[in-house]
Amino acid sequence: DEEEENAIKSLGLLTRKKMIYAANVADSDLAEGNELYAKLKAQAEKEGANIVLVSAQVEAELVELEDEDRNDFLEALGVTMDDCGLRALVREAYDILQLQTYYTSGPTETRAWTIKKGWTAPKAAGVIHGDFERGFIRAETVSYDDLVESGSEAEAKSKGLLRSEGKDYVVQEGDVILFRFNV
């Protein structure tokens, strides 16, 4: 019951945590899985757990390949970079943990920051430094896809894609943000 659930929640028991199964398969089974994967998937579904297909062999080979060769290799296996292996596993972990990424970018550095989904701009700014959260004024925001499509921040701004967001703005996955603050 709910009272019992609340009583044991603070204990942080591993048996109460959400699970992700990573099924390591041969490269030829990466697209569709195999008989053992099907059994594991059925068990995972029964438990309410997630499952990801991974091929350690393929992951090791991907490290050695150039981008174009990597895409050709994956295409021959019937998968894409986004839906196989470690990327899929990380995406599942982020989903279970309710995490997302936003970016900051300047002339010399671009960084990715991990935050909880639903965080407002000031709270997200606090991940960088507490002063950013305390002195938050606004967040100049553009989506990653819009920024890449525009080619530059100036071009995104001229197209009206750069937004000025206030304290109530909920940061979205892939936002590129410049925080304005004063302490």
Side-chain angles (χ1 to χ4, degrees), residues 116-137:
K116 287 280 200 181
K117 288 180 181 177
W119 279 15
T120 60
K123 191 163 185 176
V127 171
I128 299 171
H129 195 284
D131 287 348
F132 281 36
E133 183 174 4
R134 277 191 301 283
F136 180 88
I137 297 171

Side-chain angles (χ1 to χ4, degrees), residues 89-164:
L89 185 59
V90 169
R91 192 172 36 258
E92 284 293 327
Y94 264 55
D95 285 347
I96 281 178
L97 297 171
Q98 293 291 300
L99 298 176
Q100 67 182 19
T101 303
Y102 78 90
Y103 304 94
T104 55
S105 188
T108 59
E109 178 183 55
T110 298
R111 289 209 41 192
W113 303 90
T114 301
I115 60 170
K116 287 280 200 181
K117 288 180 181 177
W119 279 15
T120 60
K123 191 163 185 176
V127 171
I128 299 171
H129 195 284
D131 287 348
F132 281 36
E133 183 174 4
R134 277 191 301 283
F136 180 88
I137 297 171
R138 71 178 183 276
E140 294 177 5
T141 307
V142 62
S143 77
Y144 172 82
D145 291 336
D146 287 344
L147 182 61
V148 170
E149 189 177 304
S150 299
S152 71
E153 183 181 330
E155 187 62 26
K157 188 173 188 173
S158 73
K159 291 180 176 179
L161 300 172
L162 187 68
R163 307 176 313 276
S164 182

Side-chain angles (χ1 to χ4, degrees):
D1 73 338
E2 190 177 327
E3 185 179 320
E4 207 173 82
E5 190 68 36
N6 288 335
I8 63 172
K9 188 175 185 177
S10 66
L11 297 175
L13 300 172
L14 286 177
T15 54
R16 305 298 290 175
K17 303 287 183 192
K18 292 183 179 180
M19 296 279 295
I20 301 173
Y21 287 98
N24 186 22
V25 297
D27 59 355
S28 59
D29 294 326
L30 191 55
E32 302 291 327
N34 56 27
E35 186 180 324
L36 290 174
Y37 167 76
K39 289 179 182 179
L40 184 59
K41 184 176 180 183
Q43 180 63 32
E45 287 173 355
K46 195 184 323 179
E47 296 173 9
N50 298 355
I51 186 165
V52 176
L53 273 171
V54 179
S55 173
Q57 176 186 353
V58 169
E59 293 296 326
E61 291 176 28
L62 287 175
V63 172
E64 304 296 323
L65 298 174
E66 297 295 323
D67 284 346
E68 191 173 310
D69 295 334
R70 192 176 295 142
N71 291 332
D72 291 343
F73 177 63
L74 290 172
E75 189 177 310
L77 294 173
V79 295
T80 65
M81 190 64 138
D82 287 337
D83 66 3
C84 81
L86 295 179
R87 285 184 185 214
L89 185 59
V90 169
R91 192 172 36 258
E92 284 293 327
Y94 264 55
D95 285 347
I96 281 178
L97 297 171
Q98 293 291 300
L99 298 176
Q100 67 182 19
T101 303
Y102 78 90
Y103 304 94
T104 55
S105 188
T108 59
E109 178 183 55
T110 298
R111 289 209 41 192
W113 303 90
T114 301
I115 60 170
K116 287 280 200 181
K117 288 180 181 177
W119 279 15
T120 60
K123 191 163 185 176
V127 171
I128 299 171
H129 195 284
D131 287 348
F132 281 36
E133 183 174 4
R134 277 191 301 283
F136 180 88
I137 297 171
R138 71 178 183 276
E140 294 177 5
T141 307
V142 62
S143 77
Y144 172 82
D145 291 336
D146 287 344
L147 182 61
V148 170
E149 189 177 304
S150 299
S152 71
E153 183 181 330
E155 187 62 26
K157 188 173 188 173
S158 73
K159 291 180 176 179
L161 300 172
L162 187 68
R163 307 176 313 276
S164 182
E165 302 287 359
K167 292 182 178 188
D168 294 333
Y169 176 69
V170 176
V171 176
Q172 301 299 306
E173 173 69 37
D175 278 350
V176 180
I177 303 176
L178 172 64
F179 292 106
R180 299 291 185 184
F181 69 101
N182 184 18
V183 179

